[in-house]
């Protein structure tokens, strides 16, 4: 298929795409459909802070792809466009800044560029942040997106709340955003009462809403006549059935475009959309696995290893599918955690991890009937164990390396 000229494809104009950027999950459209109420609610919650009063904290949650990040960013842009106000704002993507130290450094460096450099201790950062706020009684709005990923979240929330009692004039208003609907149950009661002063839920989109979202985006992202209504509707219907996730719907249609392009076609067919939906789901699952909290990642890692070296473990064959016994996964997880010198989490927490992983579609499980060692849970990965193994090894290795460079920042303010 490839021609002889190196990079020939690079300069070839696409017959499918008019603007790929518009189809990327990071693109934020000018106007967000069906979210006027949520945007108004966020603005209402932040209005006191914009007036220079410390407002009530806000907690926003809803499944992935329900528009939380886009709505928040839209509001942030509007705030930044306001004429002089005392409020400052920091948006923290906790997938990247996933610890108290990293989040605080990010907040500090947003407003005091010197803190973009590494190596400042947390006490120093904390104190500078406080005196910067007190200088002229600022109100700092801190948006923590995907807050559930922060490893030492209770510490982070505690530090930011504590700051409010240390600050003599001005203050900090918190906005927490989570994709995990059950997140409330995991929080320390103190953090919970801090965050839940106000709450806002983003419901999943239904199929017709998703179709409108996809259609609007396809109009800009694809060349004229490439995508018809049937292709739009199908990608919306698949995503609605899965989860009501706009990101999935958009990923399906753009992946379908890539498949059509690879075949040198100039239309996207229903068949392309069907094929794309399989890829898109998988891609999203891998992204999710890469950013799981550490111990859940280790559990998935244990399952992946056991699925690969199947013969050494007792898998139970149900038709063509092999399942692994939950208890054996727990022992394998424990020995992996030990060998990495991590505290092994108890069996109760482990069962919660399993339930969470299943809810995210990363594993499937079922309770066996009587017979096999009484009742036991049988578990299987939903995606390729080899790919998952490689992915987790990459991400674990990266984080270990970073932590070692970070010792300077581990002292806690007290
Ligand atoms: N109401 C909407 N109108 C248009 N596009 C949307 C809407 N909601 C979500 N999207 C698109 O779907 C994708 C995922 O949205 P995002 O805000 O990241 O969701 P969340 O933060 O809830 O996971 C983004 O590409 C976004 O532009
Ligand atoms: Mg988001």
């Amino acid at each position: 298929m490839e021609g002889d000229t190196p990079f020939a494809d690079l300069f070839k104009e696409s017959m499918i795409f008019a603007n790929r950027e518009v189809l990327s999950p990071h693109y934020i459209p000018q106007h967000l459909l069906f979210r006027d109420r949520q945007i108004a609610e966020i603005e209402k919650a932040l209005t006191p802070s914009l007036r220079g009063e410390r407002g009530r904290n806000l907690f926003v949650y809803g499944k992935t792809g329900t528009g939380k990040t886009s709505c928040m960013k839209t509001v942030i842009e509007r705030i930044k466009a306001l004429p002089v106000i005392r409020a400052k704002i920091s948006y923290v993507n906790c997938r990247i800044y996933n610890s108290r130290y990293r989040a605080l450094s990010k907040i500090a460096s947003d407003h005091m560029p010197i803190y973009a450099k590494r190596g400042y201790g947390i006490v120093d950062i904390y104190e500078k942040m406080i005196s910067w706020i007190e200088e002229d009684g600022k109100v700092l709005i801190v948006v923590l997106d995907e807050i559930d990923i922060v490893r030492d979240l209770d510490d982070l929330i505690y530090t930011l709340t504590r700051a409010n009692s240390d600050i003599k004039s001005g203050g900090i208003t918190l906005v927490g955003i989570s994709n995990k609907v059950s997140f409330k149950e995991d929080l320390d009661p103190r953090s919970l009462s801090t965050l839940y002063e106000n709450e806002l839920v983003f419901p999943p989109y239904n199929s017709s809403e998703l179709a409108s979202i996809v259609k609007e985006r396809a109009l800009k992202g694809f060349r004229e006549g490439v995508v018809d209504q049937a292709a739009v509707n199908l990608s919306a219907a698949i995503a609605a059935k899965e989860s009501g996730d706009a990101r999935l719907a958009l990923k399906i249609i753009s992946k379908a475009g890539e498949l059509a392009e690879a075949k040198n076609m100039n239309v996207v067919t229903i068949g392309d959309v069907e094929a794309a939906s399989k890829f898109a789901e998988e891609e999203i699952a891998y992204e999710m696995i890469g950013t799981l909290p550490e111990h859940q990642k280790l559990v998935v890692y244990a399952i992946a290893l056991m699925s690969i070296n199947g013969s050494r473990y007792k898998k139970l064959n149900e038709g063509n599918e092999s399942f692994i016994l939950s208890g054996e996964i727990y022992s394998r997880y424990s020995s992996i955690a030990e060998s990495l010198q991590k505290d092994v989490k108890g069996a109760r927490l482990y069962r919660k991890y399993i339930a969470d992983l299943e809810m995210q579609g990363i594993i499937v499980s079922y309770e066996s009937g009587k017979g096999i060692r009484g009742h036991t849970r049988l578990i299987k990965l939903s995606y390729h164990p080899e790919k998952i193994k490689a992915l987790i090894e990459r991400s674990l290795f990266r984080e270990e390396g970073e932590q070692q460079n970070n010792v300077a920042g581990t002292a806690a303010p007290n």
Side-chain angles (χ1 to χ4, degrees), residues 24-25 27 29 32-33 35 63-70 179 205 213 217 246-247 250:
S24 114
Y27 178 84
L32 293 160
L33 299 165
R35 286 298 184 239
K63 285 187 170 180
T64 307
T66 51
K68 301 180 298 298
T69 300
S70 309
N179 290 337
Y205 297 112
I213 291 172
R217 207 69 77 86
R247 192 173 56 134
L250 291 165

Side-chain angles (χ1 to χ4, degrees), residues 22-29 31-35 62-72 91 145-146 177-179 202 205 209-210 212-214 216-217 245-248 250:
V22 172
L23 294 163
S24 114
H26 305 292
Y27 178 84
I28 297 174
H31 177 238
L32 293 160
L33 299 165
F34 318 111
R35 286 298 184 239
K63 285 187 170 180
T64 307
T66 51
K68 301 180 298 298
T69 300
S70 309
C71 287
M72 193 65 227
Y91 171 86
D145 199 354
E146 308 216 20
I177 306 179
S178 174
N179 290 337
F202 278 60
Y205 297 112
E209 289 171 335
L210 287 174
S212 310
I213 291 172
V214 173
E216 194 172 271
R217 207 69 77 86
D245 175 348
R247 192 173 56 134
L248 178 59
L250 291 165

